[in-house]
Amino acid sequence: EKSITEFIYSTGCRLSEVVSVNISNIDWSEQSLIVFGKGRKERKVYFSPKCKILLKKYLETRHDDCPALFVTIRCPYHRI
């Protein structure tokens, strides 16, 4: 919960943009990613170091192979 809240706050992404993010889209070295917003417009967003730490902790707790960054709590895991 902390990671998704911090991610939305840090990036300024809309919920529809957050749902479509995959783990492979994240550039960890630049702390950025490309999101597709309204009208399929592409934009680059950045996240804070605190967000990076929370995302890494969140991803360490996951034991699935779903490509989505944020997934449901219960098995089978699906994109939120």
Side-chain angles (χ1 to χ4, degrees):
E1 293 171 354
K2 288 180 184 180
S3 61
I4 193 168
T5 304
E6 183 64 30
F7 184 81
I8 292 170
Y9 175 75
S10 182
T11 61
C13 287
R14 296 174 184 88
L15 189 56
S16 60
E17 295 170 334
V18 173
V19 169
S20 65
V21 173
N22 289 331
I23 298 169
S24 61
N25 297 115
I26 298 174
D27 182 350
W28 294 104
S29 60
E30 285 191 23
Q31 291 177 212
S32 66
L33 65 140
I34 305 262
V35 293
F36 295 95
K38 290 183 176 180
R40 297 300 296 165
K41 292 181 183 173
E42 182 180 298
R43 66 187 174 109
K44 191 170 192 175
V45 295
Y46 297 90
F47 50 90
S48 67
K50 179 181 178 182
C51 183
K52 181 179 179 179
I53 291 167
L54 290 173
L55 286 174
K56 293 273 189 177
K57 285 182 181 180
Y58 164 69
L59 291 173
E60 287 173 5
T61 64
R62 283 188 39 191
H63 304 289
D64 61 89
D65 58 350
C66 184
L69 178 59
F70 296 107
V71 294
T72 57
I73 296 173
R74 295 186 185 97
C75 289
Y77 299 104
H78 298 288
R79 186 178 301 272
I80 59 168

